[in-house]
Amino acid sequence: MSWTSSTGVVLRDLVPAALRRSWVAAGYCPDRDLYSLFRSRVAAHPRRTAVIDDGRSMDYASLDRAVRRLARLLRGYGPSDIIGIDLPNGREGVVAELAVAAVGAVAVHLPDGGSPVVSTVITDVSEALEAEGDAPWSPVAVDPEAPARILVSSGSEAAPKLVAYSHNAFAGGRGNYVRAVHGATAVPRDLVLVPLASAFGSFGVAITLCRFGGTVLLMRRFDAAAALRVVAEQRPTHVFGVPTMLRRMAAVALTGAGSSTVDTSSVRAVVSSGDVLTPETLSAVRAAFGCPVVNIYGSSDGVNCHTSTPEHGVGRPDPAVTDIRIVDGEICALGPMTPLCYVDAPELDERHRLPGGWVRTGDEGYFDPGGTLHVVRRLKRVVIRGGYTISPAEVEQALGSHPGVAEVACVPVPDRDLGERLCACLAVHPDHHPPSLGQLTTFLTERGISRRKLPERLVVLPELPLGRTGKVCLRTVTRLAAEQHGAAL
């Protein structure tokens, strides 16, 4: 299948069509578009709470009315358009995402502004939220295998990758892993601590609401104490966050008595993803919440495996989500959740997809005799700060243009709270004074480097150590950075 947007972006499904249809036949995918699934939930329970943010709630009927009002405002856009969303992490983003689905367009959250691939960007939904009454409007019929959502990844590449998913891949494959996480919970109440714009948080609308008819609880800005108040007051069944968030919540909850001082009795599972879940964090979260902790190994590129016993690997592949195989030591995935392709980047498809649509994860792994997947290490060089993935190469490239920098390597230094922080290690030209960390971050900001990617540590060396091949020895640089800053785990 091939799809062309009004801006000239061509999306090709790299998975054979017959394989896609076999997943539908097996019941792995609902074979319906996201908005039609949502409308079924509205019809079934119009007064059930759909969204809670900052203590405010909207039921399904009210939410759908706002969605329809915004859809009318989007007249002129339709199935050939990619529509950007640049809104706060709350009901605004939910309404916008559903309205884009309602007009048959493709949604992409753009937390850092615009993108050349989009036809328009939604930056205000106040008219749709504040108006009264319903809007006479009919939804657009959409092929379930057509693109529905673009996830933005800031993984190991110098620039974020855009990954296109179909309705079936989202509601089906991705939905199936969320269903497994929910277990026997018929009507989930999901506290999603990560942004809807993130790959991890992207399930909030398409799956919690459209697929399962549950309630999604959102926070515009994460704060550990505030998140615990939401747990106590709003009674979620599941809490989703990156390890740094969960570790901070556990620290607050366990202050004083060594057991949780907050009522977490409603929580049936805490779900972690986006970074390595250390044994210390796992133990603290279990003690604070008194329930299973589910660890998810996954990415926006199209892989997922999860387990409630992270001590023994990252889980067993679920064919309803994705099959996993090891190819030359690398973890590769293909299944109902597999995305269509990368957006406007055939070179990424060439690099990260194998024949038949298999996704290359860039991670080294193996299966133990019991069939459980173990992740050994990342083959890609990345720094993960509190669940946010930073490309050292991107920062190095920008710093290399600084007039005073002769050599530079960016490496992780361990950090108790965030897991890792980025450290810039550099040698300066003889005729320049060593720049301060503040001067370097100002320089990077002026060159468009996101605030979350800025180095937080600095090491200045006479010259960077080299390995036997003549390249910078990153292992030695990393050791020197850790020794200087002394941030042992």
Side-chain angles (χ1 to χ4, degrees), residues 42 46-47 57-67 69 95 128:
V42 175
R47 300 306 172 197
S57 64
M58 292 183 74
D59 62 26
Y60 271 79
S62 300
L63 176 59
D64 191 41
R65 284 194 292 270
V67 168
R69 289 193 290 264
V95 170

Side-chain angles (χ1 to χ4, degrees), residues 34 60 82 89 122 138 182 195 234 236 247 283 308 322 344 371 376 436 443 445 462 478:
L34 293 176
Y60 271 79
I82 301 172
N89 191 57
I122 302 172
S138 298
H182 285 151
Q234 301 296 343
R247 181 170 58 250
S283 176
S308 58
T322 185
D344 207 26
V376 177
S436 68
F443 177 86
T445 301
T478 302

Side-chain angles (χ1 to χ4, degrees), residues 194-217:
V194 293
L196 295 171
S198 68
F200 184 17
S202 62
F203 73 89
V205 176
I207 298 169
T208 301
L209 298 182
C210 299
R211 173 84 186 267
F212 298 124
T215 300
V216 61
L217 294 84

Side-chain angles (χ1 to χ4, degrees), residues 400-474:
S401 64
H402 189 286
V405 174
E407 297 177 320
V408 61
C410 292
V411 298
V413 290
D415 183 84
R416 289 184 183 276
D417 186 35
L418 294 171
E420 293 178 331
R421 294 182 189 267
L422 185 67
C423 178
C425 302
L426 54 88
V428 299
H429 289 295
D431 56 343
H432 282 77
H433 291 290
S436 68
L437 181 61
Q439 290 170 331
L440 288 179
T441 56
T442 298
F443 177 86
L444 291 169
T445 301
E446 292 172 349
R447 277 146 188 81
I449 298 298
S450 169
R451 179 180 61 83
R452 292 187 291 180
K453 299 179 181 180
L454 297 175
E456 298 174 275
R457 302 287 187 268
L458 175 63
V459 172
V460 179
L461 299 168
E463 61 181 9
L464 297 189
L466 304 181
R468 289 179 299 173
T469 63
K471 297 180 180 180
V472 172
C473 181
L474 293 174

